[in-house]
């Protein structure tokens, strides 16, 4: 294992590296996610008197150090890092080594009994700007109970899990369902009947081995003291459906099924006999874990602190099992990067997306950690359209031979280059991510080319009632979903300073500071002025940001219809001239006017179709291509 060899690390993790169980699992998961994103990590060991000093480092931590995923700090090292994560801060009774960091996060997986003393000790060592980050809602409530004035981050520093690592081949469908039941207060109520077999973890068996023997994982933690634990996430990632206590529904949503201990047997038998329902539950659970607790969520929170992934590189681990490698690939072709990113991050772990885009879209795809390939535009090549079509055909043929994708999803329009590629490459399923909300009389020439594709997906429009475009009469056989955005699962407004967000429009407002914001940061924007293109329109309304929409009359889609619909619905203001925009912004300088718009947005909220779009795409990746392609020139 290496000792420190970087001037400034991206992340330093300070903890007692001997802790077994969840603490080490969380450290290892974050180290691996950081290494896979090209980030540097140093581990700083601080011994806790609660563990015997002769105890070695936890074996998974040792493996990370051995494989070069992280460096180990010596006691005398002075460490500089962009972000410092302190885990189990309540276990330290001695001063930890000096670490200078731009951001210091003290992660609380439980509330220390002497939180006031712990807080004073940590802040004396690392300064008053330490951010105290609960891992879940239960810890958050306990912290606020003992320290009601403390400022906590809006979102929890939840655990993450390497979903691919936990995937394993499903055991054959047994005649009698096997239930894995955690020992606990309700263990005595586990069913003991001839038609249900119950197993309890024990006997030196690892949890991974235990899961491999199960049809269901049953979880009834203490409703007061214990939330859904890491074991539930690991079960879901491994493909084992979870039967949980009803109080966990708020945390696990539709990723589990719920009953009381007495109802476990009947529920398990019913699902075991209904194989489609069983498989659907397992797929929902895996998607839920990937979306909410996958490594991408950790990289996103590091990015919010200014630590951006350098590359999407594979982990140096050599012991990765073949089943953990992506079994299928899908090419996402076009510059519709915002929707591509939203869908890609919700794909199952065994499907790897590859974005094929022009120079305008590649940086945004790179920033999301996606594998990318360059497809120059005609302007980039200085080529006439007819020659460029041949180039697109040849380039896509090469990429299909290289990656062997199950499907190719085309964002944008099926121009001649796409048509030529479809007709030459019948191996993958060709799919179209088709935009709605065309301006009246525009784009109808693309309608016939829908026959080229095995499937067409049309993302929803909040302003669908004002859509007069050609797709409204061409939806036979077309799949539709809610608007696709990159917004977090539950966008929340918070008390915002006087910040003005400008997207595609140059504007100012006295007393307001112009700011930038990614989708997850929109809750802190006071007011926005923006074009009414698809992405900005749905992100700003979905995040309940008081907005003045200034539509571009020459846009490819009907921005004017969107903006007017939003104004009629009372969720935004439409301005078609500079004077109108200036007057509207002045109105929104009033907090009461902003609050009225935000409240109306909340009343007319819409869902995020990214998850359904990912499920639709994944379904096509699991099917084989058709036998032929019809011409639609």
């Amino acid at each position: 294992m290496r000792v420190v060899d970087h001037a400034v690390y991206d992340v330093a993790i300070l903890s007692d590296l001997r802790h077994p169980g969840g603490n080490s699992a969380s450290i290892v998961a974050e180290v691996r996610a950081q290494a896979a994103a090209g980030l540097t990590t140093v581990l700083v060991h601080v011994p806790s008197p609660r563990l015997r000093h002769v105890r070695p480092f936890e074996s998974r931590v040792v493996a990370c150090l051995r494989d070069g995923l992280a460096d180990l700090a010596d006691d005398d090292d002075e460490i500089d890092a962009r972000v410092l994560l302190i885990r189990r801060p309540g276990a330290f009774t001695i001063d930890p080594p000096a670490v200078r960091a731009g951001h210091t996060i003290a992660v609380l997986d439980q509330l220390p009994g002497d939180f006031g003393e712990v807080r004073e000790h940590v802040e004396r060592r690392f300064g008053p700007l330490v951010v105290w980050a609960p891992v879940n809602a239960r810890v958050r409530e306990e912290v606020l109970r003992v320290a009601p004035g403390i400022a906590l981050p809006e979102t929890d520093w939840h655990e993450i899990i390497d979903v691919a690592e936990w995937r394993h081949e499903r055991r054959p469908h047994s005649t009698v369902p096997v239930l894995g039941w955690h020992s606990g207060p309700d263990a005595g109520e586990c069913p003991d009947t001839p038609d249900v077999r119950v197993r309890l973890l024990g006997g030196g068996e690892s949890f991974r081995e235990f899961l491999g023997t199960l049809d269901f994982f049953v979880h009834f933690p203490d409703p007061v003291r214990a939330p859904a634990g890491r074991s539930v996430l690991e079960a879901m990632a491994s493909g084992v459906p979870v039967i949980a206590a009803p109080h966990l529904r708020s945390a696990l949503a539709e990723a589990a099924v719920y009953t009381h201990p007495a109802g476990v047997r009947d529920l398990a038998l019913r699902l075991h006999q209904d194989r489609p329902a069983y498989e659907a539950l397992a797929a929902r659970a895996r998607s839920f874990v990937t979306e909410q607790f996958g490594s991408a969520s950790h990289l996103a929170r590091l990015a919010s602190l200014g630590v951006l992934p350098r590359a999407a590189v594979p982990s140096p681990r050599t012991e990765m099992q073949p089943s953990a490698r992506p079994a299928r690939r899908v090419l996402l072709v076009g510059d519709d990067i915002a929707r591509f990113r939203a869908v890609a991050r919700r794909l199952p772990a065994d499907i790897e997306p590859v974005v094929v885009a022009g120079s305008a879209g590649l940086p945004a795809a790179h920033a999301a950690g996606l594998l990318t390939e360059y497809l120059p535009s005609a302007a980039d090549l200085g080529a006439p359209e007819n020659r460029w079509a041949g180039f697109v055909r040849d380039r896509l043929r090469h990429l299909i031979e290289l990656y062997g994708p199950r499907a190719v999803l085309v964002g944008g329009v099926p121009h001649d280059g796409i048509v030529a590629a479809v007709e030459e490459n019948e191996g993958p399923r060709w799919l179209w991510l088709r935009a709605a909300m065309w301006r009246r009389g525009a784009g109808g020439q693309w309608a016939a080319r829908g026959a080229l594709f095995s499937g067409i997906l049309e993302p929803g429009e909040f302003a669908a009632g004002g859509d007069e475009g050609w797709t409204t009469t061409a939806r036979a056989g077309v799949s539709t979903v809610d608007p696709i955005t990159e917004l977090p699962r539950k966008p929340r407004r918070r008390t915002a300073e006087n910040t003005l967000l400008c997207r595609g429009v140059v504007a100012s407002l006295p007393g307001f500071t112009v700011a930038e914001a990614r989708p997850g940061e929109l809750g802190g924007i006071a007011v926005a002025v923006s074009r009414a293109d698809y992405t900005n329109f749905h992100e700003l309304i979905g995040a309940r940001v008081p907005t003045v929409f200034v539509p571009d009359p020459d846009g490819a889609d009907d921005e004017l219809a969107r903006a007017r619909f939003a104004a009629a619905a009372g969720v935004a203001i439409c301005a078609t001239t500079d004077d109108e925009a200036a007057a509207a912004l002045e109105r929104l300088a009033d907090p009461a006017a902003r609050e009225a718009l935000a409240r109306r947005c909340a009343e007319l909220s819409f869902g995020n179709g990214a998850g359904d779009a990912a499920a639709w795409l994944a379904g096509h990746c699991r099917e084989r291509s058709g036998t032929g392609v019809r011409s639609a020139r």
Side-chain angles (χ1 to χ4, degrees), residues 117-488:
E117 294 179 16
V118 171
R119 182 181 179 189
E120 181 182 354
H121 180 68
V122 171
E123 293 182 355
R124 183 174 64 247
R125 185 65 172 169
F126 296 102
L129 299 181
V130 172
V131 174
W132 295 89
V135 300
N136 55 47
R138 177 183 58 82
V139 176
R140 177 180 295 270
E141 291 172 359
E142 292 179 353
V143 172
L144 292 175
R145 176 174 50 80
V146 301
I150 192 171
L152 299 178
E154 185 174 295
T155 57
D156 299 328
W157 195 279
H158 58 74
E159 294 180 305
I160 64 167
I161 183 171
D162 185 342
V163 179
E165 180 189 7
W166 281 90
R167 185 176 183 85
H168 60 71
E169 295 300 324
R170 293 292 301 131
R171 62 192 297 270
H173 190 50
S174 57
T175 56
V176 175
V178 180
L179 280 58
W181 198 295
H182 252 196
S183 58
D186 294 309
E189 300 184 49
C190 56
D192 184 16
T193 61
D195 53 357
V196 171
R197 182 184 170 201
V198 175
R199 296 197 67 229
L200 299 179
L201 179 62
E205 185 180 34
S206 74
F207 190 61
R208 186 189 302 272
E209 293 169 336
F210 177 63
L211 289 172
T213 68
L214 305 181
D215 294 300
F216 297 91
F217 180 71
V218 183
H219 192 59
F220 287 88
D222 186 317
V224 176
R225 302 184 58 188
R230 188 176 185 87
S231 60
V232 170
L233 305 182
E234 292 169 347
M236 289 179 171
S238 70
V240 178
V242 172
I243 299 175
H247 76 271
L248 296 179
R249 185 184 295 274
S250 61
L252 302 178
E254 301 305 312
V257 289
Y258 307 91
T259 186
H260 296 285
V264 170
R265 172 186 171 275
D266 290 344
L267 181 55
L269 287 172
R270 185 167 67 252
L271 281 171
H272 190 257
Q273 293 163 5
D274 186 350
R275 202 62 183 176
Y278 179 96
E279 297 294 348
L281 174 59
R284 283 201 309 274
R286 189 171 175 82
S287 296
F288 172 82
V289 174
T290 301
E291 176 184 342
Q292 298 297 314
F293 300 96
S295 59
S297 65
H298 179 62
L299 298 179
R301 62 195 180 196
L302 290 179
S304 72
L305 300 174
V307 179
L308 301 176
R310 293 191 176 85
V313 299
S315 168
R317 286 178 292 161
T318 58
E319 63 271 22
M320 179 181 287
Q321 298 300 315
S323 61
R325 299 191 182 102
R328 307 171 183 88
R329 285 196 173 97
V330 57
L331 301 187
L332 310 179
V333 181
D335 288 316
D336 196 356
I337 303 301
R339 278 181 280 200
F340 283 169
R341 289 190 306 193
V343 173
R345 65 187 295 263
R346 292 167 172 83
L347 286 171
D350 63 338
I351 298 178
E352 182 178 33
V354 182
V355 174
V356 183
S359 56
L362 283 183
H366 272 303
L370 295 172
L371 183 61
T372 59
E373 292 285 354
Y374 182 38
L375 180 63
S377 66
D380 290 338
L381 295 175
E385 289 293 329
N386 60 337
R387 289 188 59 193
W388 181 65
F391 172 82
V392 171
R393 176 200 62 209
D394 295 342
R395 176 66 172 148
L396 290 179
R397 179 180 63 232
H398 167 72
L399 294 176
I400 289 170
E401 291 173 352
L402 177 64
Y403 290 105
R406 290 291 186 92
V408 180
L409 179 66
V410 176
V413 297
H415 52 72
D416 289 346
I418 296 295
V419 172
V422 173
E423 293 178 342
E424 187 174 288
N425 300 276
E426 297 184 6
R429 295 178 71 85
W430 287 84
L431 310 169
W432 186 10
L433 184 64
R434 188 184 79 177
M437 213 75 194
W438 289 76
R439 284 183 287 115
R440 185 190 301 179
Q445 70 271 24
W446 306 115
R449 294 192 173 182
L452 287 167
F453 299 95
S454 300
I456 301 174
L457 181 70
E458 186 175 293
E461 288 272 357
F462 174 72
D467 188 354
E468 298 181 339
W470 68 267
T471 67
T472 59
T473 58
R475 292 205 171 107
V478 174
S479 299
T480 58
V481 296
D482 285 338
I484 296 176
T485 72
E486 293 186 272
L487 292 174

Side-chain angles (χ1 to χ4, degrees), residues 490-540:
K490 295 180 180 179
R492 286 186 285 181
R493 294 291 295 163
R494 59 179 184 270
T495 302
E497 298 179 358
N498 285 353
T499 50
L500 171 65
L501 175 67
C502 301
R503 287 188 169 179
V505 179
V506 178
S508 61
L509 184 60
F512 285 71
T513 302
V514 175
E516 297 291 333
R518 293 183 288 269
E521 301 167 340
L522 289 173
I525 294 296
V527 64
V529 57
S530 173
R531 282 186 52 190
D533 59 278
Y534 184 94
T535 298
N536 287 320
F537 183 79
H538 290 98
E539 281 187 356
L540 292 168

